[in-house]
Amino acid sequence: QVQLAESGGGSVQAGGSLKLSCAASGYTGRRYLMGWFRQAPGKEREGVAAIDSDGSTRYSNSVKGRFTISKDNAKNTLYLQMDSLKPEDTAMYYCAADRIVWMGDTPLWPGRYDYWGQGTQVTVSS
C-alpha cells in the first residue's frame, strides 16, 4: 500500500511562487505514474501535471509554462514548483500515484490513479 503526504501549501500573492512536496512511502520497488491534481470549491478535480518513471512530463494548458513537476527517486518525493501564481490557481492540491506507469492519452485524468494524498491548500490573493 502506497501512502502519500503533501506539504508546502500556503497563502501567496498573485505573481508569487510556492513549491509543493509529496512524500511517498510503502513502495515495493515497482514504478508508478505520479501526478498533481487540484480541486477548487464547487469544481471537479482536475489534473495539473504528471511525470512517469522515465521523467517524461505532461501539463494542463492552464499551468503550462508556469508549473514544473519533478521527482527525487532517492528521496521518494514528488515536487510541484509553481511560479507566476494566479488567483485562479487557488485550490486544494493533491498528489497521486498510478500503478500503470504508461502515460498514454490520459495522464491527467483523476480516475486512473490508485493512491491519493490528503491534500495541501494553496491560496493566491490578488
Side-chain angles (χ1 to χ4, degrees):
Q1 184 78 7
V2 174
Q3 292 87 41
L4 304 171
E6 304 92 337
S7 61
S11 297
V12 64
Q13 289 192 327
S17 298
L18 282 174
K19 186 173 185 177
L20 305 183
S21 299
C22 172
S25 60
Y27 279 174
T28 59
R30 65 181 299 165
R31 301 179 299 172
Y32 295 83
L33 176 69
M34 302 296 296
W36 283 100
F37 296 81
R38 66 187 182 186
Q39 188 167 18
K43 294 189 177 181
E44 293 186 352
R45 189 169 297 189
E46 65 169 341
V48 173
I51 185 168
D52 68 12
S53 59
D54 294 327
S56 296
T57 58
R58 195 76 58 87
Y59 296 93
S60 68
N61 288 335
S62 61
V63 308
K64 195 174 297 182
R66 300 189 297 121
F67 290 11
T68 304
I69 188 171
S70 63
K71 59 180 181 172
D72 185 330
N73 291 329
K75 295 182 178 179
N76 283 339
T77 302
L78 179 73
Y79 302 101
L80 184 68
Q81 176 67 45
M82 305 186 295
D83 299 317
S84 301
L85 283 161
K86 304 175 181 180
E88 51 263 43
D89 294 319
T90 296
M92 186 72 78
Y93 282 71
Y94 301 89
C95 66
D98 185 354
R99 289 173 293 181
I100 299 177
V101 69
W102 178 62
M103 197 175 278
D105 295 329
T106 60
L108 301 180
W109 176 49
R112 64 174 287 177
Y113 285 78
D114 303 296
Y115 305 102
W116 292 86
Q118 294 300 307
T120 186
Q121 178 68 37
V122 172
T123 302
V124 184
S125 58
S126 57

